[in-house]
Amino acid sequence: MTVVAADAAVSQVDAAAAAASTRPRCSTEDMLQLLQDYDCWVFDLDGTIWRGNEVIEGVLEALELLRKLGKKVLFMTNNSMKSRGSYLDKCLQDDIYCSSYSAAAYLDSIGFDRSKKAYVVGERGIMQELAAVGIESFGGPDDNEKRASFSSEMLHDTQVGAVVCGVDPNLSYYKVQYASMCLLLNPGCLFIATNTDARGHFTPNLEWAGAGATVGAIKGVVERDPIVTGKPSPFLMQDIAAKHNVQPAKSIMVGDRLDTDILWGLNTGMATLLVMTGVTDEQLLVAQRGSSNGVKPHFVMDSFGDLRRVAQQALQQQK
Amino acid sequence: MVSCKAVANGTTQPRRADTDDKRKLIDSVDCFIFDCDGVIWRGDSVIDGVPETLDMLRAMGKRLVFVTNNSTKSRAGYLGKFTGLGLNVNAEEIYSSSYAAAAYLESIDFKKKVYVIGESGILEELDLKGIQHLGGPEDAEKVVALKKGEYMEHDEDVGAVVVGFDRHINYYKIQYATLCIRENPGCLFIATNRDAVTHLTDAQEWAGNGSMVGAIAGSTKREPITVGKPAEFMLDNIAKTFGLKRQQICMVGDRLDTDILFGKNGGLTTCLVLSGVTDEETLLSPENSVHPDYYMSQLSELLAVKEAAKVAA
């Protein structure tokens, strides 16, 4: 995975962004600039739009104002548990890019041999996305009750051509062993990670171990790195750019994590807006901004909801 | 006949020990450290000639130590295995990675609680050192349902998470350990070992503790302190406990990446036996850069020294 150096990325975005990146928080002028400069807004979900199942205050109004201002609104989440279809019942009307989709899109993009199968260590969403591109998969939640028996030889399907991982609240020795056998014994078997996030806001009040745990467990056996398809890998940008006809230079990524959301934005040449409603605290932000190879967002706001007053103003001015 | 001892950095080819080498080897060291699986036993069968070899070395006044990265049993648990196989050994001569974890905590004067991912061996060793613990086998059947309102409390007095081999690894344990490491200031992350695979059965390789440790490294983005091979801790502890210098010790093992590397990094003489996972082809392959000083088919080849002495007399 190639990473665009943070300094080079800042120079691609305009001077206003560069100036804002030295300020602790966006000023009103910064916010007006954002609304002027960026046509396509890509949002992370957990910690940016909602926390677990609770929407963050003011966010839905701010999103609606963006749409009224004619902005393209997209969502991109590393949460691999669901497929795109299931997010729609959370009142999002626009295109949602989830990491489960990214894994399927990646395998599709490399012409994955459809006579082979995928073994999934993760939730149903990954299997649904794979099915949508015609890739047969097994495992996932269907293997939750399986246990390794050490008294007999454990067999595995030699037709598995890819192991695809996401967060798995039912991770077990059996699943790790099965996935490892596929990767070690099936020639050319791909090791795909929807993401490697250490943690996620899977419930409103607590962060839980993320796909990073699943991937780490398997990596500890097979001793190689996976191909990561979700943030911060730039892979999905090609998909988004083509489908929505957007240019990274006129786009902005809004998220709460420096090492996935903001890094993804930097890697793909977008402007980046960090919100403090999720995992990043002031200490981490200051440390990253102060370090020569830290991940530095262009803009910072306490909450995306804070944009609504300025967005309302901008809308009035338009009329 | 030229007897050449390979230099410590292994730039010369490994040498298959002849009788002369074996005698020189035994004479030059006061202590032998043996890996267990593939050296002393294979699964549950003792490798032939081993009991006599150990008795011979003891009769020659050599200190014997047995190390294993397997954390599932305590030293006392392993003693049962040794005795059952007809081997004369004391519990204090056994260094299991379960013991190493407890010994490490003792060496840093640890006073808080430990959350354990692993099996009973670690818990028993912690008990022997008087260290309080939670987790282990009692968390084997716990399930997490990630629905609204789900929450997990954790004990704020946990000052260390010890991760050992665990056939009942689950998301509850991973999450509990992650919370301790992330939320409790100064909480240590200790791994008994990081072996990628382990040989639980002869039929195939099985995911080793590298996977349990990998899960926690992945959920915390932190690297652990490792106490088992090839990290130095066990060797330091052995040398200190028995009052030995590195040059007085020979490491005998079957794995290049743990046993032999462990010995070389520690400045010991090293001897590979081919009775375990490594074959001669792998050892001599140009891709292998870990060179033991000597190698032989199996440990009982050392008995040739006794035979040679008899003949001479």
Side-chain angles (χ1 to χ4, degrees):
Chain A
M1 179 191 82
T2 53
V3 175
V4 173
D7 289 342
V10 166
S11 65
Q12 284 174 37
V13 179
D14 63 29
S21 67
T22 59
R23 284 192 274 281
R25 295 291 185 275
C26 281
S27 59
T28 305
E29 289 69 32
D30 290 331
M31 292 191 211
L32 282 168
Q33 200 72 46
L34 288 180
L35 293 170
Q36 213 175 301
D37 290 349
Y38 304 108
D39 301 330
C40 174
W41 290 62
V42 184
F43 294 89
D44 169 52
L45 290 177
D46 286 323
T48 302
I49 304 297
W50 57 58
R51 264 190 294 261
N53 277 306
E54 297 170 4
V55 179
I56 294 166
E57 198 201 321
V59 159
L60 291 184
E61 295 96 307
L63 284 176
E64 199 46 46
L65 286 164
L66 278 187
R67 291 179 190 118
K68 286 188 173 144
L69 284 166
K71 305 298 183 190
K72 180 170 286 287
V73 173
L74 302 173
F75 300 92
M76 178 133 138
T77 178
N78 264 1
N79 191 320
S80 58
M81 291 200 272
K82 304 180 198 172
S83 62
R84 282 168 301 166
S86 52
Y87 281 101
L88 292 174
D89 59 16
K90 283 202 175 187
C91 315
L92 301 173
Q93 306 149 31
D94 310 89
D95 279 43
I96 299 144
Y97 287 81
C98 51
S99 64
S100 41
Y101 166 78
S102 76
Y106 175 80
L107 288 172
D108 191 31
S109 76
I110 61 165
F112 182 76
D113 179 356
R114 296 309 199 268
S115 71
K116 302 237 175 199
K117 304 173 202 171
Y119 182 71
V120 173
V121 187
E123 292 274 42
R124 186 73 58 194
I126 300 175
M127 301 174 84
Q128 289 162 348
E129 290 291 358
L130 289 169
V133 296
I135 295 174
E136 188 188 338
S137 70
F138 67 103
D142 302 326
D143 277 7
N144 286 353
E145 306 307 317
K146 290 194 178 158
R147 294 289 176 263
S149 159
F150 301 95
S151 56
S152 55
E153 191 180 348
M154 179 157 154
L155 301 173
H156 77 287
D157 191 331
T158 54
Q159 288 305 108
V160 171
V163 168
V164 183
C165 308
V167 60
D168 191 351
N170 293 284
L171 189 63
S172 67
Y173 187 89
Y174 175 91
K175 294 183 182 193
V176 173
Q177 174 68 10
Y178 197 97
S180 301
M181 287 173 74
C182 292
L183 289 168
L184 292 172
L185 302 172
N186 293 359
C189 186
L190 298 171
F191 182 14
I192 308 287
T194 56
N195 72 95
T196 57
D197 291 3
R199 50 214 250 193
H201 247 301
F202 306 132
T203 65
N205 302 324
L206 190 64
E207 288 203 278
W208 298 83
T214 312
V215 171
I218 296 168
K219 190 176 154 175
V221 184
V222 305
E223 297 181 299
R224 62 187 232 230
D225 284 318
I227 295 160
V228 181
T229 58
K231 295 175 283 184
S233 161
F235 168 71
L236 264 190
M237 186 38 130
Q238 296 148 30
D239 201 282
I240 291 173
K243 203 187 232 168
H244 296 279
N245 197 25
V246 298
Q247 300 160 57
K250 308 246 2 158
S251 308
I252 182 162
M253 175 71 204
V254 185
D256 68 309
R257 284 174 208 259
L258 292 166
D259 62 345
T260 51
D261 307 321
I262 303 306
L263 191 56
W264 186 77
L266 296 173
N267 285 349
T268 51
M270 299 163 74
T272 54
L273 166 57
L274 177 76
V275 291
M276 306 300 278
T277 40
V279 316
T280 304
D281 60 23
E282 196 64 39
Q283 199 182 9
L284 181 61
L285 174 61
V286 168
Q288 288 288 300
R289 274 180 153 170
S291 154
S292 59
N293 55 1
V295 178
K296 302 175 176 101
H298 301 99
F299 303 96
V300 182
M301 287 169 56
D302 285 312
S303 162
F304 177 65
D306 295 348
L307 190 63
R308 58 193 194 284
R309 189 179 48 81
V310 174
Q312 189 65 257
Q313 254 183 277
L315 195 59
Q316 301 293 76
Q317 284 166 13
Q318 246 188 23
K319 287 175 180 167
Chain B
M1 185 204 55
V2 174
S3 167
C4 77
K5 182 173 164 142
V7 296
N9 67 1
T11 49
T12 60
Q13 271 290 78
R15 183 179 171 79
R16 189 181 254 279
D18 59 24
T19 308
D20 221 38
D21 296 321
K22 291 167 195 171
R23 186 163 1 97
K24 282 197 167 83
L25 170 63
I26 294 174
D27 287 344
S28 69
V29 297
D30 298 316
C31 171
F32 284 85
I33 298 180
F34 302 103
D35 171 49
C36 297
D37 215 24
V39 179
I40 305 295
W41 58 61
R42 252 191 306 263
D44 289 322
S45 323
V46 71
I47 293 171
D48 62 274
V50 163
E52 299 91 315
T53 313
L54 299 182
D55 288 341
M56 176 190 80
L57 292 171
R58 277 196 206 285
M60 293 169 90
K62 306 299 174 187
R63 156 88 52 202
L64 306 183
V65 178
F66 303 87
V67 298
T68 175
N69 263 2
N70 194 318
S71 59
T72 57
K73 295 205 241 287
S74 61
R75 306 168 111 178
Y78 275 109
L79 184 62
K81 178 162 185 170
F82 276 92
T83 326
L85 291 175
L87 298 159
N88 292 319
V89 161
N90 302 316
E92 298 71 39
E93 294 174 326
I94 303 171
Y95 273 74
S96 56
S97 62
S98 47
Y99 173 74
Y104 175 81
L105 290 169
E106 182 184 52
S107 76
I108 59 166
D109 210 26
F110 185 81
K111 295 281 188 267
K112 294 188 163 202
K113 296 182 196 169
V114 176
Y115 181 74
V116 177
I117 288 181
E119 303 184 13
S120 59
I122 299 173
L123 304 186
E124 287 163 25
E125 292 295 355
L126 291 173
D127 283 337
L128 288 170
K129 298 281 188 206
I131 296 171
Q132 263 191 298
H133 51 78
L134 1 149
E138 74 189 18
D139 284 356
E141 301 308 317
K142 292 197 176 152
V143 176
V144 169
L146 286 179
K147 53 187 197 310
K148 191 170 184 174
E150 185 83 356
Y151 194 77
M152 183 187 279
E153 301 276 3
H154 73 283
D155 192 326
E156 289 172 2
D157 287 335
V158 168
V161 169
V162 171
V163 182
F165 184 64
D166 191 336
R167 282 166 281 202
H168 299 280
I169 187 69
N170 60 31
Y171 189 80
Y172 177 95
K173 297 179 183 191
I174 293 168
Q175 174 64 6
Y176 198 99
T178 304
L179 283 174
C180 291
I181 291 168
R182 200 171 79 207
E183 309 292 330
N184 293 356
C187 186
L188 300 172
F189 172 20
I190 296 168
T192 57
N193 65 303
R194 298 189 81 163
D195 297 19
V197 296
T198 184
H199 298 86
L200 296 172
T201 67
D202 282 336
Q204 67 194 112
E205 291 189 321
W206 293 88
N209 196 26
S211 64
M212 290 91 216
V213 175
I216 307 302
S219 66
T220 60
K221 301 289 192 226
R222 268 181 60 177
E223 288 297 298
I225 296 160
T226 303
V227 294
K229 295 176 289 177
E232 287 288 285
F233 176 74
M234 268 210 257
L235 185 53
D236 283 341
N237 199 280
I238 290 169
K240 197 164 164 194
T241 306
F242 297 115
L244 294 163
K245 291 199 172 54
R246 306 304 175 88
Q247 315 78 290
Q248 294 173 276
I249 308 173
C250 174
M251 174 75 205
V252 184
D254 70 315
R255 297 177 72 143
L256 295 163
D257 60 342
T258 48
D259 308 323
I260 304 305
L261 195 57
F262 175 64
K264 292 176 81 68
N265 286 348
L268 316 183
T269 306
T270 52
C271 179
L272 180 84
V273 289
L274 302 174
S275 44
V277 310
T278 308
D279 57 26
E280 195 168 20
E281 199 190 320
T282 307
L283 170 66
L284 299 177
S285 134
E287 275 147 26
N288 171 40
S289 59
V290 181
H291 293 167
D293 297 310
Y294 301 104
Y295 71 101
M296 53 186 78
S297 302
Q298 55 187 67
L299 188 59
S300 60
E301 276 201 29
L302 288 178
L303 290 169
V305 165
K306 202 172 175 189
E307 289 310 308
K310 271 195 209 153
V311 168

